[in-house]
């Protein structure tokens, strides 16, 4: 533990050039007395660290001394690829590895580039979860991330509706989509997707597995997500849309394929500028809720039951506003 702290102290001095004992103590989460002892230990080991006195004083390395020791572990190197996602990395239990890797990378940069992390942090921030979502990570996420990193076989207990199922799973990867975590794993001959917040228990085994060399996590997720969304569009309605209605249609659903296909199927505008098109939808019930949001910018032509429901809703709304004429 102390050896790791001494390396961190040395890298901090390399990265920031001068730091007070109080600043080092805060960074390393120890007392100032511990910092004094650690500095003496570094000096005894031949590291040219010395103290400047005065208001701008602090500890520094003599003559731009730089260690050739990077000391970067495998988990720290892998964590570098998650450095742009500090929140998700922390949820997977990798916050310390990311912080350590960033410190070692910063120490290796020349002085002219050491402000790069601060500049990036001032200009870009990635807020991954969607609005109105709980921020707490799923209970078993860290255990699943550990199994994914180590290619370790797990026994997974998963809530499916009102019952629980148990599966022996080869955890291939984790995907974060709109604030929700998903586990991609092989079960028997199939690759399956599980929502991590529905996992009720994870039992890691000592047994490891060999990954399929050609498995592409990003490609698998894209294909599955598109198939899932297209599979939701089980019905179709025929509608007329004003120019404003056509523009607003894209904002009524999270499924982009419906809007794109409606645009492609749209005919030429009529004398009023309205177009007739077919809109793929999940169901007539869902279409009713979505199309109400377009108000007078849409007319449902088919199916008849949806047209009747829209007409009824329009009549009720007109009756409410007719009270203003009394």
């Amino acid at each position: 533990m102390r050896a790791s702290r001494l390396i961190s102290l040395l890298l901090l001095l390399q990265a920031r050039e001068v730091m007070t004992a109080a600043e080092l103590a805060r960074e390393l989460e120890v007392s100032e007395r511990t910092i004094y002892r650690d500095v003496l230990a570094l000096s005894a080991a031949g590291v040219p660290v010395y103290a400047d006195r005065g208001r701008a004083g602090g500890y520094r390395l003599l003559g731009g001394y730089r260690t050739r020791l990077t000391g970067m572990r495998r988990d720290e190197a892998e964590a570098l690829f998650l450095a742009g996602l500090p929140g998700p990395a922390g949820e997977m239990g990798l916050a310390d590895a990311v912080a350590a890797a960033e410190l070692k990378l910063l120490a290796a940069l020349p002085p002219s580039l050491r402000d790069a992390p601060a500049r990036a942090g001032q200009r870009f921030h990635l807020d991954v979860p969607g609005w109105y979502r709980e921020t707490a990570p799923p209970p078993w996420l860290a255990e699943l991330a550990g199994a994914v990193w180590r290619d370790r076989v797990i026994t997974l207990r998963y809530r499916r509706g009102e019952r629980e199922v148990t599966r022996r799973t080869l955890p291939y990867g984790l995907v974060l989509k709109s604030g929700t975590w998903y586990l991609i794993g092989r079960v028997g001959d199939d690759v399956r997707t599980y929502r991590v917040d529905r996992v009720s228990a994870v039992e890691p085994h000592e047994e490891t597995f060999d990954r399929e060399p050609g498995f592409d996590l990003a490609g698998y997720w894209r294909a599955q997500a598109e198939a899932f969304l297209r599979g939701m569009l089980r019905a179709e309605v025929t509608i007329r849309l004003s120019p404003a209605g056509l523009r607003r249609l894209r904002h009524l659903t999270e499924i982009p394929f419906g809007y794109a296909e409606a645009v492609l199927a749209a005919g030429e505008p009529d004398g009023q500028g309205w177009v007739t098109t077919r809109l793929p939808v999940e169901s007539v019930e869902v279409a009713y809720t979505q199309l109400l949001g377009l108000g007078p910018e849409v007319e449902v032509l088919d199916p008849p039951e949806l047209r009747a429901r829209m007409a009824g809703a329009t009549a009720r709304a007109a009756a409410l506003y007719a009270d203003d004429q009394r």
Side-chain angles (χ1 to χ4, degrees):
M1 185 70 177
R2 190 188 185 202
S4 176
R5 189 176 68 245
L6 290 174
I7 292 173
S8 295
L9 191 156
L10 177 57
L11 292 174
L12 280 168
L13 292 179
Q14 282 189 192
R16 303 185 191 178
E17 294 190 357
V18 92
M19 295 183 71
T20 66
E23 290 170 338
L24 287 166
R26 282 195 300 271
E27 287 283 348
L28 299 175
E29 298 181 346
V30 295
S31 67
E32 290 186 37
R33 185 182 296 274
T34 299
I35 295 298
Y36 299 145
R37 289 199 296 265
D38 287 350
V39 168
L40 288 174
L42 286 175
S43 296
V47 176
V49 57
Y50 70 98
D52 279 334
R53 301 189 182 277
R55 290 183 57 187
Y59 291 108
R60 69 169 66 240
L61 296 172
L62 181 64
Y65 171 87
R66 301 185 66 77
T67 177
R68 296 175 181 238
L69 174 66
T70 61
M72 188 170 289
R73 304 193 310 269
R74 171 174 288 275
D75 63 336
E76 294 169 351
E78 291 168 337
L80 279 176
F81 294 99
L82 300 170
L85 299 172
E91 291 180 2
M92 289 190 290
L94 297 171
D96 290 343
V98 169
E102 288 180 337
L103 177 59
K104 291 173 180 178
L105 179 62
L106 187 61
L109 293 175
S112 61
L113 297 179
R114 285 181 192 157
D115 64 339
R119 283 173 54 83
Q122 290 169 352
R123 289 162 174 78
F124 302 100
H125 175 68
L126 184 60
D127 187 5
V128 177
W131 292 105
Y132 313 117
R133 290 183 177 271
E134 296 292 335
T135 57
W140 294 97
L141 179 60
E143 287 77 4
L144 289 171
V148 168
W149 278 122
R150 298 172 180 85
D151 295 336
R152 182 164 290 177
V153 178
I154 60 173
T155 295
L156 186 74
R157 198 155 71 238
Y158 185 79
R159 294 188 299 276
R160 178 173 291 169
E162 298 298 320
R163 63 191 183 95
E164 285 192 344
V165 297
T166 301
R167 297 286 185 266
R168 186 178 185 273
T169 307
L170 312 184
Y172 277 9
L174 287 162
V175 174
L176 179 61
K177 171 68 173 178
S178 300
T180 301
W181 286 96
Y182 297 87
L183 172 72
I184 313 301
R186 177 169 290 284
V187 178
D189 294 330
D190 300 325
V191 178
R192 301 183 183 179
T193 303
Y194 297 95
R195 278 185 59 139
V196 176
D197 57 7
R198 294 178 185 168
V199 172
S200 55
V202 175
E203 180 188 350
H205 301 285
E206 292 299 322
E207 180 186 359
T208 59
F209 64 92
D210 295 325
R211 291 172 170 270
E212 298 176 45
F215 181 76
D216 176 10
L217 179 63
Y220 168 85
W221 178 258
R222 283 193 300 270
Q224 291 298 306
E226 182 171 338
F228 171 74
L229 293 176
R230 286 193 179 278
M232 292 177 65
L233 303 178
R234 302 186 185 94
E236 187 177 83
V237 299
T238 304
I239 56 178
R240 285 181 70 236
L241 290 163
S242 71
L246 186 60
R247 289 194 302 270
R248 289 167 50 191
L249 184 63
R250 70 164 68 232
H251 304 296
L252 295 183
T253 174
E254 293 183 353
I255 303 176
F257 308 114
Y259 170 76
E261 293 180 10
V263 171
L264 289 174
E268 291 296 322
D270 61 19
Q272 298 174 306
W274 288 51
V275 297
T276 300
T277 187
R278 299 184 306 278
L279 176 67
V281 294
E282 293 181 54
S283 65
V284 169
E285 182 66 33
V286 171
Y288 170 73
T289 302
Q290 292 174 338
L291 294 176
L292 280 178
L294 292 179
E297 307 302 329
V298 64
E299 178 190 2
V300 173
L301 303 178
D302 191 66
E305 64 268 28
L306 178 58
R307 181 178 175 87
R309 288 192 66 181
M310 294 290 289
T314 302
R316 291 195 301 274
L320 290 174
Y321 290 103
D323 292 342
D324 294 343
Q325 308 300 320
R326 295 176 183 175

